[in-house]
């Protein structure tokens, strides 16, 4: 059988110097490679990363090997040295010396502390790496020993030499001597070196058991079979020989011929009856041991192969060649399977899969696993089934494989499972893929890329063309529907209507997994998972997860369309439709998910064995419940699970759920910050009381003031000793009694400004005059007395004021008394909207905790109002006799009568004039806890009301729900918009966009007036206000963006006018502003989007025209040839007829002056085609007449009107069709290739040559739009 040339199933590839040695790590996904330049590289082939380098050898390193259990590797090189390395310590432990020439191979023994090595000194040496000495020298070869290897089980060694022989050595005697005995060489025990034993071998420890002769030239490699008594060898005679041995002899079994140059290495496949060999003929060949024939050939064009490596546990191979190495497989290991969910309500789910030439059925619910039928495997390396499709109604099975370039088989599954051993007849056909599309129909994508619809008799009933001619794979998408893959696109195709219904971009899709509702599906590629929702007429992208290692399989969570569970090589992960993802558990070996049920995952491993994995789904169940607003489920998970940690708290804060994060936290500082963020005043108060931190009280005061809970504000200001704010609070709340107390306290503290401000707040003119007199300001005191009509006091002060100042101190005419306004509302907290307490408005309370009533909160807050809340002694000179700590336990108020009287020096009777009821502390607890109900609402449990949790602001919702730059700008998220514009169309210069950003942002906000004296209210403007309904976390509001299609139309009209009038700088400014404004425009329909793209093209063309004309006038006015060239280029800009006529007249005149009559004639003819005015027509006819008389061009121009071109606006030279060019990432202006990476001279904002995802101006815009319809005509 002739071998077929196929492609590698490449898993990993490196580029380096020539690789001479390879070894797989037995457990980790590592491979070590020794290079011809003396470097040893340690790679992680799963992640594709270089882990380490070892560089102590001098010259090529030809052999390398991992130890089976220890963190060791051994290497041998052309420096005659064997080095043992510890890869954890990343250094060489020791060096073994003894060989007298190049060392070819080295290997650890799987059980004993031995190393075997072969060398060009014609010897094989055995070493004890623990004792670090040479155990034995095996002599007998009379040429270079090219390879040596331990037997995997027996005490044998096989060596291959250029003396054309293969020798098998028996080392059982050495085992008894070194391992069974002392483990040290007899030369050390006696102290006398045995020179003969060292040079010529110790015959009592290792003997030649077999001498295999048969090769005609030197033998390069020999290997043992892992389990059978077989040896394979490869030599310079280009042959691979298979040998068998028994207890007494060994003989040649067969010779495999096919290589056309020296065979450099040959090995047995660890899991299949195959032989793999590589050669200097730049090929790797795979041989069938039973048929003794080649079955596969892998070739490289430039590189010779030198070494092979096989992984003993996995079906992985590695090959080293002249420019690196490659890790590959011979065929896929993914078992073919499909899941039948069961058509009826009572039917259990079934997994149909192929194992050992049988189709088997596994029921996860009952764990029943039975064979259904025997199948035939197609001959050849790609005969294994790749995919299965099951038709439950007709019990039909479609089995696809890669045999013959793609084929399928249609089986009828017997109802009687006892007939499973029989191989039923199947209907075969060729095709790249086959899936069922109806009860009795299936679709096949044939090799000509046509879709054939066939019946169950394998007869064609319909032939269709796929939506894309390069479609290479089809997937099931429901009855009468297909998903067609073409390059990086997935198209939903309706077989009945013969037209595409929707399209989404996703590169290299391999598998499609549908949810139970058949509306959601997941696309699995090599390194990505894409979640998609199918609507009636479109495919909507939901989320994408990128992985650095390969994605293997996936299933949807049972009964859910929110969560998708998938596996990589070493993890089970989840992804939810909002884009969040995480790890569920790790894996020891790759598995392929079939079904998710409860906390169990049912899957298959690579051998086709069914497995059940137990998983903890708490994290993604919590996240999906949070997204679905199922707060009862969220609370249940919080109470019963161990879900905690900074990661989940950070997630909740990021997603806007600090009230939920509050339920996880025990740390008081974190609880306080979360409570303030979500507006939970009562929890924040508890935490602040526990912390007693000044910053916390300040933050609490700010939040309480925002909510209108001025009693908590008062407490916070007392705790922080913020007297100025406290006084102003009393002014706002109309509490004149406490303002009077603040005045006395300021006087006691010696705070002059505090006294004056409090007197001003109280309207106490006499106190203000008193302060001014004490501070030696008689003029100001006299003015105040005069202004307030205090004539007696003014007369008393007048002598102190100089005469020249008295006239100035008289009050102006019409002066009025300065007195604070009377407060409208004095009682308790300011009124708020009364709402019922939500799930997360307060602490989680179980029934055992009882009611959170006013009494319980009274105690907490009352303690906070204790005697030393207002430690006034620190603020100024301590007043003698002041007793700041109230000893009387009954008077806990910080503003209580005895405390304050002591501070003021006392009077007749404790508390006279400062009654303890002034602050009415008894009501504070309930009022504070309730967050201030309206009026004088009580704080009892039955009437408990809390202020509403602040909803998400409109601007924040716009930021969270949009990927349109204009909407992000309207929301004020400039940095996010800038990042998005950079990724979409390569915008790098944002300075010109500042006025655009500011106008869009200011246009999306408005201010409303409230009641007199109240601040202005900010209001977000929506463009869909007619259909918009406000909700606390609503997402249906679209920001009003002032840059619309009509607005841009007006800008362009203004530019037209300036262009017509010849005001080119003004026209340039207007067109560039209009073009830059497109970056922030928002539209809501396909028609508007098309108009927007058309306006972009208009602006680009006119800017190009203005730049050309300006350059012609300013830079080339003294160069008539270049002047005419630019005038000619201008006539090819896509302008309005009037403006084109102007450019043609200018070009015609310039060409006539240059005496380029042929060129002028062409301009004249084009001008006449525009049907100009009579005078212009007459001029054109005269020019045409003159040109016909002088048919010549005086100067040669870089201008060919017959060859389509565009103009580079950097070099001002034409770029003709077929020539390479680069375009601006935003406006698509053309430039010559050297301009790539520079700033575009047309739009002034984007990078030339940038390949972005395309500007998004609409939420309905799903794919990159073509900015200019003619881009494809000129792009390279």
């Amino acid at each position: 059988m002739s071998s077929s040339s196929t492609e590698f199933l490449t898993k990993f590839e490196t580029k380096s110097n020539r690789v001479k040695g390879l070894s797989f790590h037995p457990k980790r996904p590592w491979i070590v490679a020794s290079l011809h330049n003396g470097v040893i590289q340690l790679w992680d082939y799963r992640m594709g990363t270089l882990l380490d380098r070892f560089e102590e050898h001098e010259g090529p390193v030809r052999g390398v090997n991992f130890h089976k259990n220890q963190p060791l590797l051994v290497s041998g090189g052309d420096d005659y040295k064997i080095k043992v390395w510890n890869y954890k310590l990343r250094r060489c432990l020791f060096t073994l010396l003894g060989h007298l020439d190049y060392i070819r191979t080295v290997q650890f023994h799987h059980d004993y502390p031995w190393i075997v090595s072969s060398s060009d000194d014609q010897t094989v040496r055995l070493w004890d790496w623990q004792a670090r000495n040479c155990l034995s020298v095996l002599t007998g070869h009379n040429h270079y020993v090219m390879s040596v290897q331990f037997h995997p089980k027996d005490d044998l060694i096989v060596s291959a030499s250029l003396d054309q022989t293969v020798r098998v050595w028996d080392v059982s005697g050495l085992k008894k001597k070194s391992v069974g005995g002392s483990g040290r060489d007899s030369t050390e025990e006696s102290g006398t070196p045995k020179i003969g034993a060292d040079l010529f071998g110790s015959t009592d420890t290792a003997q030649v058991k077999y001498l295999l002769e048969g090769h005609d030239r030197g033998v390069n490699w020999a290997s043992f079979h892992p389990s059978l008594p077989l040896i394979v060898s490869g030599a310079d005679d280009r042959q691979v020989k298979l040998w068998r041995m028994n207890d007494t002899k060994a003989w040649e079994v067969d010779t495999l011929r096919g290589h056309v140059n020296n065979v450099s290495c040959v090995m047995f496949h660890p899991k299949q009856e195959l032989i793999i060999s590589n050669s200097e003929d730049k090929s790797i060949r795979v041989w069938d041991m039973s048929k003794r024939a080649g079955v596969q050939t892998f070739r490289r064009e430039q590189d010779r192969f030198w070494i092979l490596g096989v992984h003993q546990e996995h079906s992985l191979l590695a090959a080293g060649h002249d420019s690196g190495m490659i890790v590959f497989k011979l065929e896929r290991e993914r078992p073919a399977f499909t899941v039948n969910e069961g058509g009826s309500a009572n039917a259990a789910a079934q997994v149909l899969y192929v194992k050992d030439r049988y189709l088997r059925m596994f029921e996860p619910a009952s764990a029943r696993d039975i064979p259904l039928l025997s199948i035939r495997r197609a001959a050849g390396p790609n005969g294994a089934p790749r995919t299965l499709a099951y038709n439950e109604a007709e019990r039909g099975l479609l089995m696809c494989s890669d045999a013959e370039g793609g084929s399928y088989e249609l089986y009828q599954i017997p109802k009687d499972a006892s007939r499973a051993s029989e191989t039923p007849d199947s209907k075969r056909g060729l095709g790249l893929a086959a899936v069922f599309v109806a009860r009795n129909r299936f679709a096949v994508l044939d090799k000509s890329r046509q879709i054939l619809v066939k019946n169950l008799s394998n007869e064609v009933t319909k032939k269709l063309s796929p939506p894309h001619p390069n479609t290479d794979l089809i997937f099931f998408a429901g009855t009468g529907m297909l998903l067609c893959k073409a390059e990086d696109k997935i198209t939903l195709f309706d077989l009945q209507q013969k037209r595409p219904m929707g399209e989404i971009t996703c590169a290299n899709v391999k598998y499609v997994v549908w949810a139970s509702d058949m509306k959601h599906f997941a696309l699995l590629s090599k390194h990505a998972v894409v979640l998609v929702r199918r609507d009636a007429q479109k495919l909507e992208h939901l989320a994408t997860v990128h992985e650095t290692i390969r994605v293997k399989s996936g299933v949807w969570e049972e009964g859910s369309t929110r969560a998708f569970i998938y596996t990589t090589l070493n993890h089970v992960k989840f992804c939810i439709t909002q884009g969040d993802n995480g790890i569920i558990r790790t894996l020891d070996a790759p598995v392929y998910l079939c079904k998710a049920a409860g906390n169990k995952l049912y899957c298959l491993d690579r051998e086709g064995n069914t497995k059940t994995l137990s998983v903890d789904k708490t994290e993604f169940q919590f996240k999906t419940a949070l997204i679905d607003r199922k707060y009862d489920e969220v609370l249940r998970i919080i109470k019963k699970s161990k879900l905690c940690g900074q990661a989940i708290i950070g997630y909740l804060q990021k997603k806007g759920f600090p009230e939920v994060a509050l339920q996880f936290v025990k740390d008081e500082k974190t609880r306080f910050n979360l409570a303030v963020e979500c507006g939970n005043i009562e929890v924040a108060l508890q935490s602040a009381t526990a912390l007693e931190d000044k910053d916390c009280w300040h933050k609490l005061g700010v939040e309480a003031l925002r909510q209108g809970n001025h009693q908590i504000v008062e407490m916070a200001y007392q705790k922080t000793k913020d007297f100025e704010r406290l006084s102003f609070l009393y002014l706002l709340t109309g509490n004149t009694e406490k303002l009077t107390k603040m005045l006395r306290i300021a006087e006691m503290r010696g705070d002059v400004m505090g006294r004056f401000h409090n007197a001003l707040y109280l309207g106490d003119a006499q106190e203000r005059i008193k302060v001014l007199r004490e501070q030696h300001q008689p003029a100001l005191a006299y003015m105040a007395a005069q202004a307030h009509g205090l004539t007696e006091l003014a007369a008393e002060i007048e002598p102190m004021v100089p005469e020249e100042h008295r006239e100035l101190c008289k009050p102006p005419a019409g002066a009025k008394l300065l007195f604070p306004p009377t407060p409208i509302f004095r009682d308790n907290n300011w009124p708020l909207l009364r709402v019922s307490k939500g799930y997360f408005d307060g602490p989680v309370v179980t029934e055992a905790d009882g009611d959170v009533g006013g009494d319980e909160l009274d105690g907490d807050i009352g303690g906070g109002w204790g005697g030393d809340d207002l430690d006034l002694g620190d603020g100024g000179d301590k007043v003698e006799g002041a007793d700041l700590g109230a000893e009387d336990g009954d008077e806990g108020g910080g503003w209580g009568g005895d405390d304050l009287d002591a501070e003021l020096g006392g009077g007749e009777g404790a508390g006279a004039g400062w009654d303890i009821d002034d602050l009415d502390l008894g009501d504070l607890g309930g009022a504070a806890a309730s967050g201030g109900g309206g009026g004088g609402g009580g704080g009892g449990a039955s009437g408990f009301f809390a202020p509403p949790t602040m909803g998400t602001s409109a601007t924040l919702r716009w930021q969270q729900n949009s990927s349109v730059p204009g909407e992000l700008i309207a929301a004020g998220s400039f940095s996010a918009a800038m990042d998005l514009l950079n990724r979409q169309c390569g915008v790098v210069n944002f300075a010109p966009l500042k006025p655009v950003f500011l106008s869009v942002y200011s246009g999306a906000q408005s201010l409303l007036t409230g009641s007199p004296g109240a601040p202005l209210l900010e209001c977000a403007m929506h463009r869909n206000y007619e259909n918009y309904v406000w909700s606390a976390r609503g997402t249906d509001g679209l920001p009003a963006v002032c840059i619309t299609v009509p607005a841009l139309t007006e800008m362009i009209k203004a530019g037209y006018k300036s262009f017509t009038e010849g005001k080119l700088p003004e026209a340039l400014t207007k067109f560039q502003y209009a073009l830059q404004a497109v970056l922030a425009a928002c539209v809501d329909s396909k028609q508007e989007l098309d108009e927007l793209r058309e306006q972009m093209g208009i602006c680009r063309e006119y800017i190009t025209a203005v730049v050309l004309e300006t350059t012609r006038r300013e830079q080339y006015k003294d160069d008539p040839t270049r002047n005419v060239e630019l005038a000619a280029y201008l006539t090819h800009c896509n302008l309005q007829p009037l403006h084109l006529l102007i450019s043609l007249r200018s070009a015609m005149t310039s060409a006539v002056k240059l005496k380029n009559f042929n060129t002028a004639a062409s301009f004249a003819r084009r001008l006449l085609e525009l049907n100009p005015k009579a005078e212009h027509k007459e001029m054109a006819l005269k020019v045409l007449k003159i040109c016909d008389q002088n048919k010549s061009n005086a100067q040669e121009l870089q201008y060919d009107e017959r060859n389509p071109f565009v103009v580079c606006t950097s070099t001002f030279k034409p770029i003709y069709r077929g020539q390479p060019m680069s375009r601006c990432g935003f406006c698509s202006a053309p430039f010559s290739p050297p301009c790539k990476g520079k700033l575009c001279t047309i739009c002034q904002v984007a990078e030339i040559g940038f390949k972005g995802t395309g500007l998004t101006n609409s939420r309905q815009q799903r794919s990159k739009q073509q900015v200019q319809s003619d881009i494809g005509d000129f792009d390279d």
Side-chain angles (χ1 to χ4, degrees), residues 470-513:
N470 54 353
T471 298
D472 56 6
L473 208 55
I474 57 174
F475 303 97
F476 173 70
T479 303
M481 305 288 281
L482 288 176
L483 285 175
C484 300
K485 169 184 170 284
E487 295 177 348
D488 59 345
K489 295 179 180 178
I490 294 291
T491 305
L492 182 65
F493 187 62
D494 191 319
L495 296 175
Q496 295 293 329
Q497 301 182 39
K498 301 181 183 180
R499 68 182 183 91
M501 306 298 289
E503 188 173 272
I504 195 166
T505 300
C506 182
N508 302 319
V509 173
K510 292 186 175 181
Y511 305 100
V512 175
V513 183

Side-chain angles (χ1 to χ4, degrees), residues 583-771:
I583 298 175
I584 298 177
R585 61 166 289 172
T586 57
L587 295 171
D588 297 327
V591 296
Y592 302 88
L593 299 181
C594 303
K595 174 73 176 174
N599 289 328
K600 303 287 185 183
L601 294 177
Y602 299 96
C603 53
L604 296 170
D605 62 14
R606 283 176 164 169
E607 285 71 38
N609 301 315
T610 56
K611 289 191 171 184
T612 303
L613 301 179
S614 295
V615 294
D616 183 2
K617 301 180 181 178
T618 305
E619 182 180 350
F620 75 78
Q621 287 176 344
F622 174 80
K623 290 182 177 180
T624 53
L626 200 62
I627 292 168
D628 293 337
R629 304 290 193 270
K630 296 179 179 178
Y631 294 128
D632 52 347
E633 179 70 10
V634 171
L635 285 175
R636 185 191 66 78
I637 294 174
I638 291 173
K639 292 177 181 178
K640 294 186 178 181
S641 73
K642 298 179 180 179
L643 195 65
C644 61
Q646 291 300 319
I648 196 69
I649 294 170
Y651 170 83
L652 290 167
Q653 284 185 284
K654 178 181 176 183
K655 296 298 180 182
F657 293 99
E659 66 272 20
V660 184
L662 192 60
Q663 314 302 314
F664 290 94
V665 184
K666 303 300 180 187
D667 177 65
E668 289 294 349
K669 184 74 173 178
T670 309
R671 281 177 63 82
F672 173 81
N673 290 329
L674 290 171
V676 169
E677 186 176 347
C678 63
N680 195 330
I681 288 294
E682 55 185 283
V683 175
L685 178 61
Q686 293 171 4
S687 298
T689 304
L691 290 168
E692 284 297 337
D693 181 72
K694 187 174 181 179
D695 289 338
C696 292
W697 283 112
H698 174 71
K699 291 179 181 178
L700 177 62
V702 172
E703 178 61 24
L705 187 63
R706 189 185 66 81
Q707 293 191 15
N709 194 328
H710 63 78
Q711 292 173 341
I712 299 292
V713 177
E714 182 180 1
M715 179 180 177
Y717 288 168
Q718 287 188 23
K719 290 288 187 181
T720 57
K721 301 181 179 65
D722 198 338
F723 299 107
E724 291 184 5
R725 285 191 171 90
L726 195 57
S727 295
F728 194 70
L729 176 69
Y730 291 149
L731 170 66
L732 294 178
T733 55
N735 199 329
T736 54
E737 293 86 355
K738 290 181 182 177
L739 265 177
T740 305
K741 293 180 182 179
M742 290 300 299
L743 176 62
R744 297 290 173 259
I745 293 169
E747 182 178 359
M748 180 189 65
R749 294 175 60 244
D751 183 1
V752 176
M753 289 306 298
R755 283 179 62 194
F756 189 84
H757 285 154
N758 282 294
L760 186 64
Y761 297 157
L762 286 166
D764 190 343
Q766 293 186 3
E767 183 66 25
R768 293 203 302 276
I769 295 169
K770 180 180 177 183
V771 171

Side-chain angles (χ1 to χ4, degrees), residues 142-206:
N142 54 28
H143 209 307
Y144 300 164
V145 183
M146 301 298 289
S147 76
V148 66
Q149 187 184 94
F150 284 115
H151 193 282
K153 297 178 182 177
D154 301 332
D155 297 324
L156 299 175
I157 292 174
V158 63
S159 61
S161 170
L162 294 186
D163 62 8
Q164 303 179 17
T165 66
V166 175
R167 292 175 182 252
V168 179
W169 309 79
D170 186 346
V171 292
S172 56
L174 182 63
K175 171 187 172 184
K176 294 175 184 177
K177 178 182 176 183
S178 63
V179 180
S182 64
R184 300 185 67 84
D185 200 333
S186 59
T187 59
E188 291 188 4
E189 293 176 358
S190 63
T192 304
K194 295 184 179 181
I195 300 175
D198 187 53
L199 293 177
F200 305 108
S202 179
T203 56
D204 60 338
T205 57

Side-chain angles (χ1 to χ4, degrees), residues 14 26 139 198 252 259 358 364 374 382 384 514 561 563 684 691 747 844 903 910 930 955 975 983 999 1068 1126 1136 1213:
T14 66
T139 60
D198 187 53
E252 181 181 338
H259 284 293
Y358 279 92
S374 174
N382 297 320
W514 285 90
T561 58
L691 290 168
E747 182 178 359
V844 179
E903 192 119 348
S930 67
T955 55
S975 59
R983 285 187 283 110
S999 62
L1068 180 63
L1126 265 63
Q1136 293 292 318
K1213 293 183 179 180

Side-chain angles (χ1 to χ4, degrees), residues 124-322:
V124 173
R125 289 181 180 248
L126 278 167
W127 312 79
D128 186 327
W129 60 265
Q130 288 182 342
R132 304 186 183 182
N133 62 5
C134 180
L135 294 176
S136 181
V137 182
L138 311 184
T139 60
H141 286 294
N142 54 28
H143 209 307
Y144 300 164
V145 183
M146 301 298 289
S147 76
V148 66
Q149 187 184 94
F150 284 115
H151 193 282
K153 297 178 182 177
D154 301 332
D155 297 324
L156 299 175
I157 292 174
V158 63
S159 61
S161 170
L162 294 186
D163 62 8
Q164 303 179 17
T165 66
V166 175
R167 292 175 182 252
V168 179
W169 309 79
D170 186 346
V171 292
S172 56
L174 182 63
K175 171 187 172 184
K176 294 175 184 177
K177 178 182 176 183
S178 63
V179 180
S182 64
R184 300 185 67 84
D185 200 333
S186 59
T187 59
E188 291 188 4
E189 293 176 358
S190 63
T192 304
K194 295 184 179 181
I195 300 175
D198 187 53
L199 293 177
F200 305 108
S202 179
T203 56
D204 60 338
T205 57
Q207 299 178 354
V208 177
K209 189 171 184 180
Y210 310 119
L211 178 63
L212 309 180
E213 298 178 310
H215 283 288
D216 298 330
R217 292 191 180 180
V219 185
N220 291 318
W221 203 271
S223 298
F224 285 115
H225 193 281
S227 57
L228 300 175
L230 297 174
I231 297 172
V232 66
S233 61
D236 287 346
D237 59 6
R238 307 174 184 177
Q239 297 176 0
V240 176
K241 288 186 179 289
L242 186 63
W243 314 80
R244 182 176 288 275
M245 59 185 181
N246 58 20
D247 293 337
T248 59
K249 63 177 181 177
W251 65 97
E252 181 181 338
V253 176
D254 207 344
T255 300
L256 309 175
R257 297 178 175 85
H259 284 293
V260 294
N261 207 332
N262 303 338
V263 179
S264 52
C265 189
V266 60
M267 291 184 177
F268 291 101
H269 193 283
K271 302 229 174 162
Q272 301 179 39
E273 295 302 306
L274 299 173
I275 295 171
I276 300 96
S277 63
N278 66 4
S279 165
E280 294 179 43
D281 64 3
K282 305 174 185 176
S283 72
I284 299 175
R285 290 180 180 263
V286 181
W287 312 84
D288 190 315
M289 284 175 54
S290 58
K291 297 179 180 178
R292 315 281 168 78
V295 292
Q296 283 179 281
T297 303
F298 305 121
R299 302 185 188 276
R300 290 182 76 91
E301 294 298 327
Q302 305 295 333
D303 302 313
R304 297 168 295 174
F305 287 100
W306 298 102
I307 187 69
L308 284 172
V310 296
H311 199 297
Q312 298 302 320
E313 301 297 328
H314 308 300
S315 297
L316 284 174
L317 304 172
H321 51 76
D322 283 335

Side-chain angles (χ1 to χ4, degrees), residues 1203-1216:
N1203 191 358
F1205 68 88
V1206 290
V1207 181
C1208 171
T1209 51
S1210 177
T1211 62
F1212 301 105
K1213 293 183 179 180
I1215 305 173
Y1216 292 101

